[in-house]
Amino acid sequence: MHYEEIVPSPHLRHLVKCFWALRDDPVVGGPAETVLPDGSLEIIFNLADRFRRFHSDGQIETQPSAIVVGQMRKFIQIQPTGKVDLFGVRFETAGAYHFFRRPLSELTDHIVELDPLVQNGEKDLESRICDASGTSARVTLFEASLTRKLRLPTTAEHTVEGVKRQIHMKAGSASIRDMSRDLGVSQRQIERHFKQMVGVTPKFYSRIIRLQSILNSADPNSDILELALSHGYYDQAHFIHEFTEFAGKSPTAFLRDENRMAEAFLNS
């Protein structure tokens, strides 16, 4: 498996965390892989064989060739059906709000086809991305599309950015009440803006960031109790319950299993 990330142009770094490409030799009949919430909305273009997604009710879905992955509040399970060749756009916390210009809460917990969500002038974006000669050309195409949508940030966007910055500084342990006081904005306003521009509440986003912080510092030999306490959990049981809610399995089981795609995206 080969994974690479491309840093966006300076004028788009407040909107796009990175562009990425993932390639792998044909895989048929392998196990489903667990992918965890990471706090980012993504657009993914599949340039090769489709992926299957396994739903909790037992249904199996073949995913479209270009998808929007909204903010996810729990794990998903996917499986390649052959050759893997993906190009992705990983937005900053509220960056996708500029691209779609719609409340991102509408996309929370949804993986949907890209085409119905893009504006009329961008209806051929998928075909242009897929026909491009390589990753650099795809980055150039998407950046041009996003640049056309740029506008001055609003006061609400500055508020969301300030909240996000504090959440990340404290690895998901920041107090919403303290942030409200520091920013001079009510908790209700913060929650409303965050749901609209990010897709989840700041409290839930904090939980995702804390989970990612744990995964970035853990390995199969990690002491579970030490991990829990060092990341602000009340006790080991609280940590295990919340981790299992996100991942569908205990932290010990998740860290023991091979999760190649999840591991490729960590630290990104």
Side-chain angles (χ1 to χ4, degrees):
M1 178 179 290
H2 174 71
Y3 174 74
E4 63 173 324
E5 290 185 358
I6 300 91
V7 176
S9 297
H11 71 289
L12 294 175
R13 287 180 190 170
H14 65 298
L15 301 180
V16 177
K17 186 177 294 184
C18 70
F19 299 96
W20 56 267
L22 179 67
R23 302 178 188 87
D24 201 3
D25 294 331
V27 178
V28 179
E33 296 221 17
T34 299
V35 179
L36 302 184
D38 65 2
S40 297
L41 185 147
E42 296 192 80
I43 299 175
I44 301 174
F45 299 89
N46 191 337
L47 311 172
D49 296 311
R50 304 285 187 88
F51 274 67
R52 295 191 186 101
R53 181 185 174 194
F54 295 83
H55 293 266
S56 57
D57 61 2
Q59 292 187 2
I60 301 175
E61 169 194 3
T62 299
Q63 294 191 325
S65 56
I67 58 176
V68 179
V69 183
Q71 286 282 359
M72 305 306 292
R73 292 183 291 188
K74 63 183 299 184
F75 71 97
I76 61 171
Q77 288 191 307
I78 56 176
Q79 179 189 55
T81 63
K83 183 180 178 182
V84 175
D85 190 356
L86 305 176
F87 171 70
V89 184
R90 182 174 300 125
F91 287 95
E92 281 289 356
T93 304
Y97 186 69
H98 279 263
F99 186 80
F100 292 110
R101 297 186 179 178
R102 63 193 298 159
L104 295 188
S105 56
E106 296 176 0
L107 299 174
T108 299
D109 288 329
H110 292 292
I111 299 177
V112 297
E113 190 173 6
L114 172 65
D115 189 62
L117 297 181
V118 296
Q119 297 173 344
N120 291 334
E122 302 293 342
K123 285 296 183 181
D124 64 342
L125 178 62
E126 177 183 347
S127 61
R128 288 187 290 125
I129 291 287
C130 292
D131 293 342
S133 58
T135 301
S136 295
R138 294 184 181 105
V139 168
T140 299
L141 282 169
F142 195 91
E143 287 198 331
S145 175
L146 184 54
T147 298
R148 289 191 288 270
K149 301 176 186 293
L150 285 180
R151 53 180 171 74
L152 292 175
T154 63
T155 301
E157 288 173 87
H158 284 304
T159 297
V160 169
E161 179 61 27
V163 172
K164 169 215 151 177
R165 190 162 47 244
Q166 291 198 39
I167 289 173
H168 280 264
M169 283 175 56
K170 298 189 177 181
S173 298
S175 162
I176 305 301
R177 179 184 299 174
D178 291 346
M179 288 189 285
S180 171
R181 183 194 63 236
D182 293 344
L183 295 169
V185 181
S186 72
Q187 293 185 56
R188 182 174 296 180
Q189 284 180 300
I190 288 175
E191 183 166 319
R192 185 175 71 251
H193 295 328
F194 223 82
K195 287 180 71 173
Q196 180 179 17
M197 298 179 191
V198 179
V200 293
T201 65
K203 183 176 180 179
F204 201 93
Y205 182 78
S206 295
R207 292 174 61 192
I208 294 173
I209 298 308
R210 182 159 60 166
L211 170 72
Q212 288 294 316
S213 176
I214 289 169
L215 291 173
N216 282 320
S217 61
D219 62 55
N221 298 316
S222 295
D223 183 286
I224 299 302
L225 177 59
E226 184 178 328
L227 269 179
L229 297 178
S230 65
H231 286 83
Y233 288 94
Y234 305 123
D235 53 34
Q236 183 171 323
H238 176 214
F239 169 53
I240 292 174
H241 174 79
E242 185 159 299
F243 190 99
T244 303
E245 183 181 330
F246 275 123
K249 60 182 73 174
S250 71
T252 301
F254 183 86
L255 294 170
R256 181 190 61 226
D257 294 345
E258 183 179 37
N259 299 285
R260 297 191 307 158
M261 290 191 179
E263 289 162 5
F265 295 141
L266 282 176
N267 297 309
S268 61

